[in-house]
Every structure is written in structure tokens, then in C-alpha cells.
Amino acid sequence: MKKTLLTISMLLMAVMAMAQERPRLVVGIVVDQMRWDYLYRFYDEYTSGGFRRLLSDGFSCENCQINYIPSVTAIGHTSVFTGSVPAIHGIAGNDFLLNGKMTYCCSDTTVQSVGSTTKAGQMSPRNMLATTIGDELKTATDWQAKVVGVSFKDRAAILPAGHSADAAYWFDKTALCFISSTYYMTELPKWAVQYNANLAREIKNLKRGTKDDTSTIDLIQYEPFGNEMTVGMAKAAVKGERLGQGKVTDMLTLSFSCPDITGHRYGTHHEKTHAQYIALDKQLADFFSFLDGQVGRGKYLVFLTADHGAANGILQNQDHKIPSGGFFVGKELRDINKYLKSHFRVNSAVSDELRIVDHIMNCMPVLNRRNIEALNLDEQKVKEAIIAYFRQHPAVQHCFDLSAINDASVPALIREKAVNGYNPARSGDIQIVLKPGYYGVGPKIDAGTTHGNWNPYDCHIPFVVMGWKVEHGSTAAEVHITDIAPTICALLHIQMPSGCIGQPVVQITK
């Protein structure tokens, strides 16, 4: 009997030890606007230590899809690290409705900038309603784990790191340095101050030999330097905070924002986009080599994904006889208000500023209910008029009332994505679904691109995991952006985030 009890006790201890075993450091990398096919389009030019190392040493989910609309930056970063969707985590766009007003996703006027005198630091994760991987790691380790977020964009540093992060750092485009906010700290740590001082000297030399009309910020955003300084800040954080050197697992979230900025301006096939990915590959190789030396090869876990993809440019498509076109958001907003006033015979003396549709937010018209009431209009009839109007639009494939989404005659996939993306308190009222190859543009169509729709070019993203306890392999089975967080949490033996709807990818966690 004693021998049996001893055996059971040893087994329980072994299981507990296994459950406690974790890597020294988790690194979550997001490449902003990285289409899945960029893993292979430039493959022959990649080095062995960057993207190729991820694919040759790690496990790749070749069919990772975004399962909501709109597919934009703030939502993507939030969904990766919460395993959730806007309907639950509340980040319904880069800007969305909050208490009836359009609000930037991370805006927080109760906090101040740390590291500069600008307002660029008035940011926090308070508008996010769910926890992240980092929050759960902090909880699982009794808040001993350190969690730090680094990115060029504020939202790409803040939202992935989570509510209880030790710090998030982003680039102030006016002060030209990395900053934080009083949500996290009262002053920058010495290592960050030193990194900014070194960075200032490098930035000073940037414009040498360039045209006088080229701004410093353009050189940072569209050339390899923007990603290079982001890697540099990440390295400084790992060293300065001694990430991966303690008794418990730490976490670094790292987002590369410059590919998105370049893609928007130049498009998916421009040489600047090509050059940026070739340079990013070398920067990743350098960073992985740094982690090998700093933390130990095989002792850290890294995953790489994207917040969204990107459509090929309209002009490029048209040149090759591929159906494509623009939905001119500003013009459409003016036109729909003009149509509604005519349709409902609103007195012509009523000011043009008294709009019935306030915004078209990510292809979602937002009703101004106060004005609808003031004009004594029936809200349901207003919705029906808007839907009928846009269903006749040459760029529109479907249009439906988001509050009656289950009645919409649309493919199940689109319905599911719309349901997941709809947060009644924060989203628009009507969903416009554009035809394939069509997307929202500004006043004119140029060589650049954008994203935000349900289509594969916007929603097919990479998801590769490498390092601690990960066996090499790949799967073509469909997984979702919301499966990333539960997969990482399963590997760490910690609880998945509070709003998580995803499932662990069992081919990785087995």
C-alpha cells in the first residue's frame, strides 16, 4: 500500500513539475500588414537566420485566417493577444464609438507622456475589455513575470502587452524618441533614456546625402531604419529589464509597424515593400541571434504573425484586367446624407451639417440618432433607405442591418465575421460588404493599398511558432487569429485570456 501511495505521489509530483516547466522568455512578434504569401514571395532572398529559420525550425500554420471584420491594426493586435474578437474585447477599430463619440482606441486623457513633452503619451489599454497572454502570465506567476511591449505605433505596443504590463514603449513622431505614459511609470528607466540618446545621434545623421525635402520621419518610416530602431529598442528592453533572466517566464511583445506604413503608401508590389521585407529578414536574424546569446537557444519561445494582410493595388489590378475599384468614403458620406434628406423630404433650409449618417467607419455607416429624432424620422425606415441605397452601389456586394444580422442573406462566412466584429456599443449600425478587389479609398486612387475587408488578401496571415518545446512541422488546416493566444497559453500551462474564443492548435501543443 505504501509503495502504491509513493508511486502515485511521485507521478503527481512529475505532473506538477511538467505543468510548472516554462521557457525563460516568450516573444510575440507582429508584422503590421504582412500578407501570408510574403513568407514565400521573397523566400529565395531571405537569409537562413530570419524568416527561413522560423519556417525550417518552427511550426507553421499555413492557413491562419482572421475571423472577423474589419481587419485593421488595433483589432488585429488585440485579437492576437486576447484570443478574442471585437464583439467581446471591445476594440472595434483603430477609432470607434465610445459613449457615443468617435474615440481613438488607446486614447486616455487621464495619463500623461513619459519621455517627451508632447501629447503622444496620453495612451493606455483601458478601452480594452479582455485580458491578454501577458496579463494571464502575470497572474499565473503571482505578478513576478515581467511583461514589456515595444513598437513604432502606440496601439501596437499597448494593446498586445495588456493591462498589467510593466511597460509599453512607442515612438513619438514629433519628439523623435521612444516614450511611454504615466499609466506604466513616472519616468523612463535609465536604459531607455540611454537608448534614446544613442538614437538621437543616429537620427541626426539620417538626412546626410538625401534630398532636402525628405523629412526625417519619412526616412524612419519608409526605410529599414524604422524597423532597425524598433529591434534596437527591443534589445535594450531585454537587457535593461533582464527579461528571461529571472526565476519565472517573462514576455516581450514586439510589433513592426513600418511595413504597414510603407504598404499604405506604395502598395504590395513596390520595390520599397520588397526592400523592407529583405531588410526585416536580416533584422529578425540578428534579433534571434541576440536572443540565442542573451537567453539561450531553445530556452525562449517566439511566435510571429500579422495583424492583417493587404489588398493588391487597384491600379495594379486594373492594369492586369483583374476586377477592382474604389469606394470613396468621404464622397459616399456626403452623397448618402444628401440622398436621405431628399428621400425623406427634409426641408432644404436644414443645415448640411445636420447629418443623418455621422460617419462611415470601416464600411459601417454610423447613424446620428439625435438628428434622426430632431428631424422626426423613423430610425428603422432610415436604415432601410440606407441599405437600399448602397445595395445599388457599383462597388457594393452586400449591405445589411447589424442589429438584425442573422436575417441577412449573405454567405455564412461573411455573417460569422460580421457577428464577431460587431460590438453594439462601439460599432456602426449597418455593414457594407464591398465586392472582391474593391476597398475604401480617400479622394483619389493611387499606387498604395489598404485593408479591412473579409477577403483572403486581408485576412490570410502568417502564424509560425519556434523555440522552446516546439517541433518542426506545418499544417494546412484552417486556424484563426483567435487560436494564437490559447496555443501559447497551452504551451505555458497558464489560463487563456478572459475573452478568449479560440482553441489551441493541437499540432503545436501535443
Side-chain angles (χ1 to χ4, degrees):
M1 183 67 178
K2 288 183 178 180
K3 188 175 181 180
T4 302
L5 288 173
L6 180 62
T7 302
I8 293 172
S9 177
M10 291 176 67
L11 284 171
L12 287 171
M13 290 176 64
V15 170
M16 289 176 65
M18 186 181 297
Q20 296 298 319
E21 189 182 6
R22 296 179 181 130
R24 290 183 177 178
L25 178 67
V26 181
V27 182
I29 300 175
V30 179
V31 182
D32 202 326
Q33 203 184 116
M34 183 175 178
R35 292 163 54 110
W36 164 82
D37 59 346
Y38 287 170
L39 283 174
Y40 301 100
R41 188 190 300 176
F42 313 126
Y43 184 86
D44 291 345
E45 298 176 73
Y46 290 151
T47 65
S48 60
F51 288 116
R52 282 197 188 189
R53 177 175 170 184
L54 283 165
L55 292 171
S56 62
D57 290 4
F59 191 98
S60 179
C61 294
E62 297 288 285
N63 189 20
C64 185
Q65 299 285 340
I66 292 174
N67 53 346
Y68 55 79
I69 46 177
S71 47
V72 297
T73 297
I75 302 178
H77 281 83
T78 306
S79 296
V80 166
F81 290 90
T82 63
S84 193
V85 291
I88 298 170
H89 62 55
I91 301 299
N94 295 335
D95 300 270
F96 51 83
L97 290 169
L98 194 62
N99 300 320
K101 295 181 180 180
M102 289 298 292
T103 305
Y104 180 64
C105 58
C106 292
S107 179
D108 187 348
T109 56
T110 70
V111 298
Q112 302 300 320
S113 299
V114 174
S116 79
T117 58
T118 75
K119 293 183 178 180
Q122 290 190 308
M123 305 287 170
S124 83
R126 287 188 171 120
N127 294 331
M128 182 170 60
L129 304 178
T131 61
T132 63
I133 301 170
D135 290 325
E136 297 301 331
L137 180 62
K138 296 279 283 189
T139 304
T141 59
D142 287 328
W143 292 274
Q144 294 180 65
K146 287 186 177 181
V147 177
V148 176
V150 174
S151 182
F152 189 83
K153 292 180 181 177
D154 49 57
R155 57 186 179 269
I158 293 167
L159 298 170
H163 298 277
S164 60
D166 296 271
Y169 301 98
W170 56 94
F171 194 71
D172 185 328
K173 291 184 180 181
T174 301
L176 299 180
C177 62
F178 279 93
I179 65 168
S180 190
S181 91
T182 52
Y183 178 88
Y184 305 99
M185 63 191 75
T186 56
E187 60 182 9
L188 293 180
K190 290 181 180 178
W191 63 262
V193 173
Q194 184 59 57
Y195 182 75
N196 278 334
N198 296 338
L199 189 61
R201 288 191 288 271
E202 294 185 52
I203 290 174
K204 205 170 186 179
N205 294 326
L206 267 182
K207 291 193 70 173
R208 291 182 180 178
T210 63
K211 295 179 181 178
D212 291 337
D213 61 349
T214 304
S215 72
T216 302
I217 194 63
D218 275 1
L219 286 170
I220 291 171
Q221 292 178 145
Y222 302 117
E223 303 299 333
F225 186 69
N227 288 334
E228 183 180 319
M229 70 184 196
T230 305
V231 171
M233 185 65 176
K235 286 182 178 179
V238 171
K239 284 185 175 180
E241 298 295 337
R242 293 184 53 80
L243 299 181
Q245 304 301 314
K247 294 180 179 180
V248 299
T249 302
D250 297 320
M251 185 170 191
L252 172 73
T253 69
L254 172 60
S255 179
F256 293 100
S257 303
C258 295
D260 179 74
I261 299 168
T262 300
H264 275 293
R265 176 175 284 194
Y266 296 105
T268 59
H269 283 70
H270 195 278
E271 176 52 35
K272 282 190 177 291
T273 298
H274 172 206
Q276 200 163 74
Y277 275 90
I278 300 308
L280 178 58
D281 172 67
K282 294 182 175 68
Q283 291 153 355
L284 285 173
D286 173 65
F287 185 58
F288 294 152
S289 178
F290 163 80
L291 291 176
D292 289 343
Q294 190 74 17
V295 182
R297 191 177 182 117
K299 295 181 180 179
Y300 61 89
L301 177 70
V302 61
F303 66 91
L304 180 142
T305 187
D307 53 347
H308 54 73
N312 289 320
I314 293 171
L315 299 179
Q316 172 189 304
N317 284 340
Q318 292 175 345
D319 284 346
H320 295 278
K321 302 178 182 179
I322 296 173
S324 197
F327 182 81
F328 298 88
V329 180
K331 178 181 180 299
E332 298 303 338
L333 180 59
R334 292 190 297 271
D335 287 354
I336 187 59
N337 278 296
K338 183 178 179 181
Y339 167 77
L340 291 172
K341 287 179 180 180
S342 172
H343 180 78
F344 290 107
R345 298 179 181 179
V346 174
N347 191 319
S348 59
V350 172
S351 169
D352 288 340
E353 294 180 5
L354 193 68
R355 296 190 297 198
I356 296 172
V357 176
D358 250 347
H359 310 278
I360 298 179
M361 178 183 78
N362 299 316
C363 281
M364 288 182 284
V366 178
L367 300 183
N368 187 314
R369 288 177 170 78
R370 181 178 296 177
N371 289 347
I372 289 172
E373 185 178 350
L375 294 169
N376 199 28
L377 300 178
D378 183 290
E379 182 180 315
Q380 186 57 38
K381 289 182 178 178
V382 170
K383 285 184 177 182
E384 290 169 2
I386 294 170
I387 291 169
Y389 175 87
F390 280 116
R391 280 179 176 170
Q392 301 303 313
H393 195 289
V396 174
Q397 193 157 54
H398 302 285
C399 188
F400 49 88
D401 182 351
L402 281 164
S403 67
I405 195 167
N406 288 325
D407 298 329
S409 297
V410 295
L413 175 66
I414 295 175
R415 183 185 294 108
E416 180 186 0
K417 290 190 177 191
V419 168
N420 286 341
Y422 176 52
N423 188 295
R426 298 185 173 192
S427 299
D429 298 285
I430 292 164
Q431 182 69 63
I432 296 170
V433 179
L434 301 178
K435 293 176 180 177
Y438 285 73
Y439 55 78
V441 295
K444 65 176 184 178
I445 297 172
D446 55 27
T449 190
T450 191
H451 49 85
N453 298 326
W454 70 269
N455 311 74
Y457 43 74
D458 283 353
C459 291
H460 189 184
I461 57 173
F463 173 36
V464 191
V465 188
M466 180 185 77
W468 183 84
K469 299 289 186 181
V470 175
E471 296 180 7
H472 169 63
S474 67
T475 179
E478 182 174 337
V479 303
H480 299 127
I481 191 171
T482 49
D483 296 330
I484 295 173
T487 299
I488 302 305
C489 289
L491 288 169
L492 298 179
H493 302 292
I494 63 175
Q495 182 59 276
M496 61 184 67
S498 60
C500 185
I501 65 167
Q503 298 293 325
V505 179
V506 294
Q507 295 95 325
I508 297 174
T509 60
K510 61 183 179 182

